[in-house]
mmCIF file of all heavy atoms in Angstrom:
data_model
loop_
_atom_site.group_PDB
_atom_site.id
_atom_site.type_symbol
_atom_site.label_atom_id
_atom_site.label_comp_id
_atom_site.label_asym_id
_atom_site.label_seq_id
_atom_site.Cartn_x
_atom_site.Cartn_y
_atom_site.Cartn_z
ATOM 1 N N GLY A 26 11.935 -13.350 -37.197
ATOM 2 C CA GLY A 26 12.327 -13.406 -38.600
ATOM 3 C C GLY A 26 12.921 -12.113 -39.117
ATOM 4 O O GLY A 26 13.278 -12.019 -40.292
ATOM 5 N N ILE A 27 13.051 -11.104 -38.249
ATOM 6 C CA ILE A 27 13.659 -9.841 -38.669
ATOM 7 C C ILE A 27 15.133 -10.086 -38.952
ATOM 8 O O ILE A 27 15.835 -10.729 -38.165
ATOM 9 C CB ILE A 27 13.477 -8.752 -37.582
ATOM 10 C CG1 ILE A 27 11.987 -8.435 -37.423
ATOM 11 C CG2 ILE A 27 14.272 -7.506 -37.917
ATOM 12 C CD1 ILE A 27 11.675 -7.521 -36.256
ATOM 13 N N SER A 28 15.610 -9.574 -40.061
ATOM 14 C CA SER A 28 16.991 -9.834 -40.465
ATOM 15 C C SER A 28 17.984 -9.174 -39.506
ATOM 16 O O SER A 28 17.664 -8.208 -38.810
ATOM 17 C CB SER A 28 17.236 -9.312 -41.880
ATOM 18 O OG SER A 28 17.300 -7.894 -41.870
ATOM 19 N N ARG A 29 19.195 -9.711 -39.523
ATOM 20 C CA ARG A 29 20.267 -9.133 -38.703
ATOM 21 C C ARG A 29 20.532 -7.696 -39.105
ATOM 22 O O ARG A 29 20.755 -6.842 -38.245
ATOM 23 C CB ARG A 29 21.528 -9.978 -38.808
ATOM 24 C CG ARG A 29 21.345 -11.335 -38.180
ATOM 25 C CD ARG A 29 22.548 -12.218 -38.339
ATOM 26 N NE ARG A 29 22.188 -13.561 -37.858
ATOM 27 C CZ ARG A 29 22.981 -14.595 -37.877
ATOM 28 N NH1 ARG A 29 24.213 -14.463 -38.341
ATOM 29 N NH2 ARG A 29 22.571 -15.756 -37.436
ATOM 30 N N ALA A 30 20.515 -7.429 -40.391
ATOM 31 C CA ALA A 30 20.752 -6.058 -40.859
ATOM 32 C C ALA A 30 19.699 -5.106 -40.312
ATOM 33 O O ALA A 30 20.023 -4.016 -39.841
ATOM 34 C CB ALA A 30 20.770 -6.017 -42.386
ATOM 35 N N GLU A 31 18.426 -5.524 -40.366
ATOM 36 C CA GLU A 31 17.343 -4.681 -39.842
ATOM 37 C C GLU A 31 17.449 -4.491 -38.329
ATOM 38 O O GLU A 31 17.037 -3.462 -37.805
ATOM 39 C CB GLU A 31 15.976 -5.298 -40.166
ATOM 40 C CG GLU A 31 15.610 -5.268 -41.627
ATOM 41 C CD GLU A 31 14.312 -6.014 -41.862
ATOM 42 O OE1 GLU A 31 14.344 -7.266 -41.890
ATOM 43 O OE2 GLU A 31 13.265 -5.338 -42.014
ATOM 44 N N SER A 32 17.995 -5.485 -37.637
ATOM 45 C CA SER A 32 18.127 -5.416 -36.180
ATOM 46 C C SER A 32 19.403 -4.726 -35.734
ATOM 47 O O SER A 32 19.628 -4.545 -34.547
ATOM 48 C CB SER A 32 18.121 -6.828 -35.584
ATOM 49 O OG SER A 32 16.897 -7.452 -35.798
ATOM 50 N N GLY A 33 20.265 -4.394 -36.688
ATOM 51 C CA GLY A 33 21.533 -3.765 -36.339
ATOM 52 C C GLY A 33 22.569 -4.748 -35.814
ATOM 53 O O GLY A 33 23.524 -4.354 -35.141
ATOM 54 N N LEU A 34 22.397 -6.026 -36.141
ATOM 55 C CA LEU A 34 23.342 -7.051 -35.708
ATOM 56 C C LEU A 34 24.402 -7.291 -36.777
ATOM 57 O O LEU A 34 24.143 -7.107 -37.970
ATOM 58 C CB LEU A 34 22.606 -8.370 -35.449
ATOM 59 C CG LEU A 34 21.717 -8.431 -34.231
ATOM 60 C CD1 LEU A 34 20.891 -9.710 -34.241
ATOM 61 C CD2 LEU A 34 22.551 -8.344 -32.970
ATOM 62 N N PRO A 35 25.592 -7.744 -36.365
ATOM 63 C CA PRO A 35 26.595 -8.137 -37.353
ATOM 64 C C PRO A 35 26.059 -9.271 -38.230
ATOM 65 O O PRO A 35 25.178 -10.031 -37.805
ATOM 66 C CB PRO A 35 27.770 -8.625 -36.501
ATOM 67 C CG PRO A 35 27.551 -8.063 -35.145
ATOM 68 C CD PRO A 35 26.066 -7.906 -34.989
ATOM 69 N N ALA A 36 26.611 -9.404 -39.420
ATOM 70 C CA ALA A 36 26.146 -10.430 -40.349
ATOM 71 C C ALA A 36 26.410 -11.842 -39.836
ATOM 72 O O ALA A 36 25.636 -12.756 -40.103
ATOM 73 C CB ALA A 36 26.805 -10.236 -41.710
ATOM 74 N N GLY A 37 27.493 -12.033 -39.117
ATOM 75 C CA GLY A 37 27.837 -13.365 -38.641
ATOM 76 C C GLY A 37 28.517 -13.346 -37.300
ATOM 77 O O GLY A 37 28.881 -12.281 -36.787
ATOM 78 N N PRO A 38 28.734 -14.528 -36.746
ATOM 79 C CA PRO A 38 29.311 -14.606 -35.407
ATOM 80 C C PRO A 38 30.724 -14.035 -35.316
ATOM 81 O O PRO A 38 31.067 -13.407 -34.314
ATOM 82 C CB PRO A 38 29.303 -16.099 -35.084
ATOM 83 C CG PRO A 38 28.855 -16.814 -36.289
ATOM 84 C CD PRO A 38 28.345 -15.826 -37.272
ATOM 85 N N ASP A 39 31.559 -14.229 -36.331
ATOM 86 C CA ASP A 39 32.929 -13.705 -36.259
ATOM 87 C C ASP A 39 32.946 -12.194 -36.050
ATOM 88 O O ASP A 39 33.728 -11.684 -35.242
ATOM 89 C CB ASP A 39 33.719 -14.054 -37.527
ATOM 90 C CG ASP A 39 34.119 -15.519 -37.576
ATOM 91 O OD1 ASP A 39 34.027 -16.204 -36.529
ATOM 92 O OD2 ASP A 39 34.523 -15.981 -38.656
ATOM 93 N N GLU A 40 32.073 -11.499 -36.744
ATOM 94 C CA GLU A 40 32.023 -10.037 -36.633
ATOM 95 C C GLU A 40 31.506 -9.591 -35.262
ATOM 96 O O GLU A 40 31.776 -8.466 -34.839
ATOM 97 C CB GLU A 40 31.136 -9.435 -37.725
ATOM 98 C CG GLU A 40 31.637 -9.654 -39.135
ATOM 99 C CD GLU A 40 31.185 -10.970 -39.764
ATOM 100 O OE1 GLU A 40 30.515 -11.784 -39.099
ATOM 101 O OE2 GLU A 40 31.532 -11.197 -40.933
ATOM 102 N N SER A 41 30.786 -10.460 -34.581
ATOM 103 C CA SER A 41 30.206 -10.074 -33.295
ATOM 104 C C SER A 41 31.244 -9.963 -32.179
ATOM 105 O O SER A 41 30.955 -9.412 -31.122
ATOM 106 C CB SER A 41 29.098 -11.055 -32.890
ATOM 107 O OG SER A 41 29.630 -12.302 -32.520
ATOM 108 N N PHE A 42 32.436 -10.457 -32.405
ATOM 109 C CA PHE A 42 33.528 -10.341 -31.432
ATOM 110 C C PHE A 42 34.296 -9.025 -31.569
ATOM 111 O O PHE A 42 35.078 -8.670 -30.694
ATOM 112 C CB PHE A 42 34.537 -11.483 -31.613
ATOM 113 C CG PHE A 42 34.072 -12.804 -31.089
ATOM 114 C CD1 PHE A 42 33.388 -13.691 -31.913
ATOM 115 C CD2 PHE A 42 34.337 -13.190 -29.784
ATOM 116 C CE1 PHE A 42 32.972 -14.929 -31.441
ATOM 117 C CE2 PHE A 42 33.928 -14.422 -29.301
ATOM 118 C CZ PHE A 42 33.236 -15.293 -30.133
ATOM 119 N N VAL A 43 34.103 -8.327 -32.684
ATOM 120 C CA VAL A 43 34.879 -7.125 -32.975
ATOM 121 C C VAL A 43 34.485 -5.999 -32.021
ATOM 122 O O VAL A 43 33.303 -5.671 -31.886
ATOM 123 C CB VAL A 43 34.689 -6.687 -34.444
ATOM 124 C CG1 VAL A 43 35.405 -5.383 -34.723
ATOM 125 C CG2 VAL A 43 35.175 -7.784 -35.390
ATOM 126 N N LEU A 44 35.495 -5.415 -31.393
ATOM 127 C CA LEU A 44 35.260 -4.323 -30.452
ATOM 128 C C LEU A 44 35.432 -2.978 -31.142
ATOM 129 O O LEU A 44 36.393 -2.779 -31.876
ATOM 130 C CB LEU A 44 36.235 -4.427 -29.274
ATOM 131 C CG LEU A 44 36.075 -5.677 -28.412
ATOM 132 C CD1 LEU A 44 37.208 -5.757 -27.394
ATOM 133 C CD2 LEU A 44 34.721 -5.691 -27.725
ATOM 134 N N ALA A 45 34.504 -2.088 -30.901
ATOM 135 C CA ALA A 45 34.608 -0.708 -31.372
ATOM 136 C C ALA A 45 35.365 0.091 -30.314
ATOM 137 O O ALA A 45 35.378 -0.282 -29.135
ATOM 138 C CB ALA A 45 33.214 -0.124 -31.583
ATOM 139 N N PRO A 46 35.981 1.188 -30.704
ATOM 140 C CA PRO A 46 36.711 1.997 -29.719
ATOM 141 C C PRO A 46 35.831 2.439 -28.541
ATOM 142 O O PRO A 46 36.311 2.556 -27.419
ATOM 143 C CB PRO A 46 37.197 3.201 -30.527
ATOM 144 C CG PRO A 46 37.231 2.730 -31.939
ATOM 145 C CD PRO A 46 36.119 1.714 -32.061
ATOM 146 N N GLU A 47 34.550 2.659 -28.791
ATOM 147 C CA GLU A 47 33.650 3.141 -27.733
ATOM 148 C C GLU A 47 33.109 2.023 -26.837
ATOM 149 O O GLU A 47 32.432 2.289 -25.843
ATOM 150 C CB GLU A 47 32.489 3.941 -28.330
ATOM 151 C CG GLU A 47 31.561 3.159 -29.232
ATOM 152 C CD GLU A 47 31.988 3.110 -30.699
ATOM 153 O OE1 GLU A 47 33.126 3.509 -31.039
ATOM 154 O OE2 GLU A 47 31.179 2.637 -31.518
ATOM 155 N N ASP A 48 33.397 0.750 -27.153
ATOM 156 C CA ASP A 48 32.954 -0.354 -26.300
ATOM 157 C C ASP A 48 33.721 -0.333 -24.987
ATOM 158 O O ASP A 48 34.956 -0.262 -24.975
ATOM 159 C CB ASP A 48 33.180 -1.706 -26.996
ATOM 160 C CG ASP A 48 32.207 -1.978 -28.121
ATOM 161 O OD1 ASP A 48 31.067 -1.466 -28.052
ATOM 162 O OD2 ASP A 48 32.582 -2.696 -29.060
ATOM 163 N N THR A 49 32.984 -0.386 -23.893
ATOM 164 C CA THR A 49 33.565 -0.419 -22.554
ATOM 165 C C THR A 49 32.956 -1.591 -21.793
ATOM 166 O O THR A 49 31.948 -2.159 -22.222
ATOM 167 C CB THR A 49 33.270 0.873 -21.777
ATOM 168 O OG1 THR A 49 31.845 0.964 -21.570
ATOM 169 C CG2 THR A 49 33.774 2.117 -22.510
ATOM 170 N N ILE A 50 33.538 -1.906 -20.662
ATOM 171 C CA ILE A 50 32.958 -2.946 -19.820
ATOM 172 C C ILE A 50 31.514 -2.588 -19.509
ATOM 173 O O ILE A 50 30.614 -3.426 -19.642
ATOM 174 C CB ILE A 50 33.784 -3.134 -18.529
ATOM 175 C CG1 ILE A 50 35.142 -3.748 -18.856
ATOM 176 C CG2 ILE A 50 33.023 -3.991 -17.521
ATOM 177 C CD1 ILE A 50 36.125 -3.782 -17.698
ATOM 178 N N GLU A 51 31.289 -1.350 -19.131
ATOM 179 C CA GLU A 51 29.929 -0.924 -18.773
ATOM 180 C C GLU A 51 28.972 -1.014 -19.953
ATOM 181 O O GLU A 51 27.864 -1.539 -19.822
ATOM 182 C CB GLU A 51 29.949 0.502 -18.219
ATOM 183 C CG GLU A 51 28.585 0.981 -17.768
ATOM 184 C CD GLU A 51 28.613 2.399 -17.217
ATOM 185 O OE1 GLU A 51 29.673 2.867 -16.793
ATOM 186 O OE2 GLU A 51 27.541 3.028 -17.235
ATOM 187 N N SER A 52 29.375 -0.535 -21.118
ATOM 188 C CA SER A 52 28.457 -0.524 -22.263
ATOM 189 C C SER A 52 28.184 -1.925 -22.794
ATOM 190 O O SER A 52 27.041 -2.253 -23.141
ATOM 191 C CB SER A 52 28.993 0.375 -23.383
ATOM 192 O OG SER A 52 30.141 -0.181 -24.009
ATOM 193 N N VAL A 53 29.198 -2.762 -22.833
ATOM 194 C CA VAL A 53 29.018 -4.124 -23.349
ATOM 195 C C VAL A 53 28.201 -4.954 -22.365
ATOM 196 O O VAL A 53 27.292 -5.693 -22.765
ATOM 197 C CB VAL A 53 30.384 -4.773 -23.665
ATOM 198 C CG1 VAL A 53 30.245 -6.261 -23.959
ATOM 199 C CG2 VAL A 53 31.042 -4.048 -24.841
ATOM 200 N N ARG A 54 28.484 -4.818 -21.070
ATOM 201 C CA ARG A 54 27.707 -5.562 -20.080
ATOM 202 C C ARG A 54 26.248 -5.088 -20.082
ATOM 203 O O ARG A 54 25.330 -5.884 -19.992
ATOM 204 C CB ARG A 54 28.300 -5.424 -18.680
ATOM 205 C CG ARG A 54 27.639 -6.396 -17.722
ATOM 206 C CD ARG A 54 28.069 -6.288 -16.276
ATOM 207 N NE ARG A 54 29.375 -5.819 -16.009
ATOM 208 C CZ ARG A 54 30.265 -6.451 -15.252
ATOM 209 N NH1 ARG A 54 29.973 -7.594 -14.703
ATOM 210 N NH2 ARG A 54 31.440 -5.911 -15.031
ATOM 211 N N SER A 55 26.036 -3.788 -20.218
ATOM 212 C CA SER A 55 24.677 -3.247 -20.264
ATOM 213 C C SER A 55 23.910 -3.790 -21.476
ATOM 214 O O SER A 55 22.746 -4.170 -21.370
ATOM 215 C CB SER A 55 24.717 -1.722 -20.289
ATOM 216 O OG SER A 55 23.425 -1.200 -20.409
ATOM 217 N N ALA A 56 24.572 -3.840 -22.631
ATOM 218 C CA ALA A 56 23.929 -4.381 -23.834
ATOM 219 C C ALA A 56 23.591 -5.856 -23.636
ATOM 220 O O ALA A 56 22.518 -6.319 -24.057
ATOM 221 C CB ALA A 56 24.838 -4.200 -25.046
ATOM 222 N N PHE A 57 24.483 -6.607 -22.986
ATOM 223 C CA PHE A 57 24.220 -8.019 -22.720
ATOM 224 C C PHE A 57 23.031 -8.171 -21.772
ATOM 225 O O PHE A 57 22.134 -8.971 -22.021
ATOM 226 C CB PHE A 57 25.474 -8.690 -22.139
ATOM 227 C CG PHE A 57 25.286 -10.148 -21.816
ATOM 228 C CD1 PHE A 57 24.996 -11.066 -22.814
ATOM 229 C CD2 PHE A 57 25.404 -10.604 -20.516
ATOM 230 C CE1 PHE A 57 24.819 -12.414 -22.519
ATOM 231 C CE2 PHE A 57 25.234 -11.948 -20.207
ATOM 232 C CZ PHE A 57 24.943 -12.853 -21.209
ATOM 233 N N GLU A 58 23.003 -7.393 -20.709
ATOM 234 C CA GLU A 58 21.894 -7.478 -19.756
ATOM 235 C C GLU A 58 20.567 -7.085 -20.402
ATOM 236 O O GLU A 58 19.540 -7.718 -20.145
ATOM 237 C CB GLU A 58 22.194 -6.615 -18.528
ATOM 238 C CG GLU A 58 23.316 -7.214 -17.680
ATOM 239 C CD GLU A 58 23.832 -6.286 -16.590
ATOM 240 O OE1 GLU A 58 23.368 -5.120 -16.484
ATOM 241 O OE2 GLU A 58 24.726 -6.733 -15.838
#
């Protein structure tokens, strides 16, 4: 029940596709794992 804001998640699914300049294959795959 912890909110997305408290968890550091985007507010909605559309925003979750947005890539930051620092996102790399390694960092994104690591976060997924």
